């Protein structure tokens, strides 16, 4: 079994903009800037034969690159926030790519969760209970956050290793997208 996910790596300028947002938010557990990414699909603990089949499907995928930008901040967990995130500006191209790779992963036999895709970059997590009022105020101040755009030219398959310091990621493969015209 390999714990893995597909995502989009972020350019250094976007990572820098997100680091500023991390600094401005009261985040007790910030995601390491080198680990910031946009998940396309979490594959879970995938059996190696299924991951191999998914990899072949991802390699065969022909999809165009596209511009993407980040927009706004938010929280997961409503009354008991668990994580802060930066949102993604509306992108039909991103949703189209995500649907394609999720279908490939499911057909290959990876245990993909059945939930609505909400594109975001996780900035940090909170051990309960966070200072909700301070956190909500900081998120509201970040509502005007914008970054990018940048051109998405590939997506990446990462293996996720859980450690006491949080998840550590290892690149397994990169899949190029058709260059933009």
């Amino acid at each position: 079994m390999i714990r893995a996910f597909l995502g989009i790596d972020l350019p250094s300028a976007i990572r820098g903009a997100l680091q500023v947002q991390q600094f401005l938010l009261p985040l007790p557990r910030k995601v390491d800037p080198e680990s910031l990414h946009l998940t396309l699909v979490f594959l879970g603990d995938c059996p190696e034969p299924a991951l191999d089949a998914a990899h072949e499907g991802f390699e065969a995928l022909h999809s165009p690159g596209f511009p993407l930008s980040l927009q706004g901040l938010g929280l997961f967990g409503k009354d008991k926030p668990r994580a802060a995130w930066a949102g993604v500006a509306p992108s039909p191209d991103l949703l189209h790519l995500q649907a394609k790779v999720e279908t490939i992963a499911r057909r290959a036999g990876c245990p993909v969760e059945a939930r609505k895709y909400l594109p975001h970059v996780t900035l940090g997590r909170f051990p309960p209970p966070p200072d909700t009022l301070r956190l909500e105020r900081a998120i509201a101040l970040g509502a005007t956050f914008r970054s990018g755009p940048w051109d998405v030219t590939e997506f990446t398959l990462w293996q996720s290793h859980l450690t006491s310091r949080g998840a550590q990621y290892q690149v397994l493969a990169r899949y190029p997208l058709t260059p933009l015209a």
Side-chain angles (χ1 to χ4, degrees), residues 14 69 95:
I14 303 301
S69 58
L95 297 178

Side-chain angles (χ1 to χ4, degrees), residues 37-62:
H37 65 276
L38 172 62
T39 300
L40 289 170
V41 62
F42 184 69
L43 303 174
D45 290 320
C46 194
E48 285 189 49
L51 192 58
D52 288 342
H55 168 69
E56 288 177 16
F58 302 144
E59 280 189 320
L61 179 65
H62 296 288

Side-chain angles (χ1 to χ4, degrees), residues 110-170:
C110 294
V112 177
E113 292 180 342
R115 65 176 164 178
K116 185 175 174 10
Y117 180 61
L118 176 64
H120 67 279
V121 177
T122 301
L123 300 174
R125 294 180 174 78
F126 319 102
D131 181 348
T132 306
L133 183 60
R134 184 171 165 226
L135 181 58
E136 287 174 347
R137 210 175 283 141
I139 291 291
L141 289 172
T144 60
F145 168 72
R146 301 281 185 274
S147 80
W150 77 94
D151 290 335
V152 177
T153 59
E154 69 178 12
F155 60 98
T156 305
L157 176 63
W158 278 282
Q159 182 171 2
S160 174
H161 304 278
L162 297 179
T163 72
S164 59
R165 296 180 314 136
Q168 303 293 312
Y169 307 133
Q170 174 187 354

Side-chain angles (χ1 to χ4, degrees), residues 9 21-22 45-46 55 70 94 103 146 161 166 175 179-180:
D9 208 355
Q21 295 306 308
Q22 286 178 310
D45 290 320
C46 194
H55 168 69
L70 301 179
L94 173 65
T103 298
R146 301 281 185 274
H161 304 278
Y175 308 97
L180 295 169

Side-chain angles (χ1 to χ4, degrees), residues 18-90:
L18 291 172
Q19 278 184 276
V20 169
Q21 295 306 308
Q22 286 178 310
F23 176 78
L24 295 172
L25 294 170
L27 298 174
R29 291 186 11 213
K30 294 173 175 60
V31 172
D32 183 312
E34 292 305 309
S35 295
L36 293 169
H37 65 276
L38 172 62
T39 300
L40 289 170
V41 62
F42 184 69
L43 303 174
D45 290 320
C46 194
E48 285 189 49
L51 192 58
D52 288 342
H55 168 69
E56 288 177 16
F58 302 144
E59 280 189 320
L61 179 65
H62 296 288
S63 195
F66 52 92
L68 197 61
S69 58
L70 301 179
Q71 175 180 309
L73 302 178
L75 295 171
F76 286 129
K78 300 198 189 214
D79 295 338
K80 296 180 181 176
R82 334 180 281 287
W85 48 264
V88 176

